Amino acid sequence: MTVQAFLALISEKTGIAASEQEVMAGYPPRQLQLPTDVSGAALSSLPLANGDTITLRAKATAPATAAELGTAPASVVSSSRPSLPPPPPYPATGQVGYVMEGSRHAAPRLRKVIADTVRADPVTYNEAWILGKDKWGGAIELSILAAHFGREIAAYDIQTKRCDLYGQDAGYSERVMLLYDGLHYDSLAVAAFEGAPEELDTRILDLSSPRQLAMVEEGATKLVAACHDARMFTNTASFTLRCGVCQVGLKGEREAVDHAKFTGHQNFTEY
């Protein structure tokens, strides 16, 4: 079977056109990097194992949630948020790559940047786990990436409505924003107007403009509050999972990670 036929089968079963599909596999689910020529590529060329769970969502064609910024009605802080339930984990490196340099393909390179940084400073960092494809970024990784790009990273947490700043004491002149739902990082950007194409987004904020920064922060706070009220977050300490291989019930991310390390099972579903 070709990749094209595989996507067509998914489309037949779900009603989501192949061009609108985001296909993920494994646990934590990670997006499959599809070949450019799906018609000629064999399905066996994809990094899929027998028994893997396939996770699918439709690509967002426009911001699903937007918050107006103060007195600038033509500007919105936007994030491509899917409908509930909350999405599976995406690498923070991929979202940082987009807000920092506009690239959707930077994750492997940035994972290497983090791993090299960790290896070069074994006292501060004792494990280069970010290289694993089943890992996603956290506070240490965002701190490293803020230093790598020379910009602050503001990470807004939907569950707590808290904003964590990375690189804030380094004297950087610019800032980018992320949105975190407990499992997944989304990029945050200032749209030129609601529904504007992505290429018009302002991804990098100038910290020398207090008025603009205050307006953006207000809009981001409103967006986070709206996502929180819609419960668009996952409490990874208490959510329940079932192993799709041995059917063992697990509670929280820690138990799932430990189970995966001990058994090699990576097929989990939330219930």
Side-chain angles (χ1 to χ4, degrees):
M1 175 182 285
T2 65
V3 175
Q4 184 179 51
F6 173 61
L7 299 178
L9 179 61
I10 292 176
S11 180
E12 179 184 336
K13 298 294 185 182
T14 65
I16 301 175
S19 61
E20 299 301 319
Q21 295 170 7
E22 288 187 358
V23 185
M24 292 157 279
Y27 183 84
R30 59 183 183 274
Q31 187 170 6
L32 291 177
Q33 298 300 318
L34 302 179
T36 303
D37 180 14
V38 295
S39 62
L43 181 58
S44 58
S45 66
L46 298 182
L48 292 172
N50 188 29
D52 272 358
T53 294
I54 300 296
T55 305
L56 177 74
R57 74 171 183 175
K59 295 178 181 177
T61 56
T65 309
E68 291 191 0
L69 297 181
T71 57
S75 298
V76 296
V77 167
S78 62
S79 167
S80 296
R81 302 296 305 159
S83 58
L84 294 175
Y90 268 18
T93 46
Q95 300 302 322
V96 171
Y98 173 69
V99 293
M100 288 292 189
E101 54 189 26
S103 172
R104 295 293 189 185
H105 308 288
R109 173 168 50 84
L110 295 183
R111 282 199 295 269
K112 186 176 186 304
V113 167
I114 294 168
D116 289 346
T117 302
V118 169
R119 291 191 185 105
D121 188 356
V123 175
T124 303
Y125 312 109
N126 58 20
E127 188 177 21
W129 57 266
I130 193 67
L131 270 186
K133 292 182 179 179
D134 61 338
K135 305 298 193 296
W136 57 96
I140 293 174
E141 290 69 41
L142 293 182
S143 296
I144 291 172
L145 292 174
H148 174 71
F149 285 103
R151 295 187 181 113
E152 292 181 1
I153 298 177
Y156 290 87
D157 187 303
I158 294 174
Q159 182 179 0
T160 64
K161 296 190 285 188
R162 183 184 71 243
C163 177
D164 294 321
L165 270 178
Y166 301 92
Q168 70 270 34
D169 298 324
Y172 300 141
S173 61
E174 296 175 322
R175 177 186 298 173
V176 299
M177 302 180 294
L178 299 174
L179 187 66
Y180 182 60
D181 70 7
L183 290 177
H184 173 279
Y185 283 96
D186 267 324
S187 53
L188 279 181
V190 181
F193 51 87
E194 191 162 356
E198 188 177 84
E199 55 266 25
L200 297 182
D201 285 354
T202 298
R203 298 172 285 100
I204 301 170
L205 306 177
D206 183 357
L207 296 181
S208 67
S209 176
R211 182 174 180 274
Q212 180 204 40
L213 187 62
M215 292 169 61
V216 172
E217 288 176 339
E218 180 183 356
T221 300
K222 290 179 180 179
L223 174 61
V224 170
C227 291
H228 176 88
D229 292 344
R231 296 196 61 81
M232 297 176 72
F233 61 86
T234 297
N235 185 338
T236 59
S238 62
F239 72 154
T240 53
L241 298 168
R242 185 174 300 281
C243 177
V245 179
C246 63
Q247 304 305 311
V248 168
L250 303 162
K251 181 178 180 180
E253 176 189 354
R254 184 70 266 162
E255 287 190 12
V257 171
D258 288 345
H259 182 78
K261 286 181 178 178
F262 182 74
T263 64
H265 300 166
Q266 295 189 7
N267 183 357
F268 297 88
T269 55
E270 188 172 358
Y271 73 99

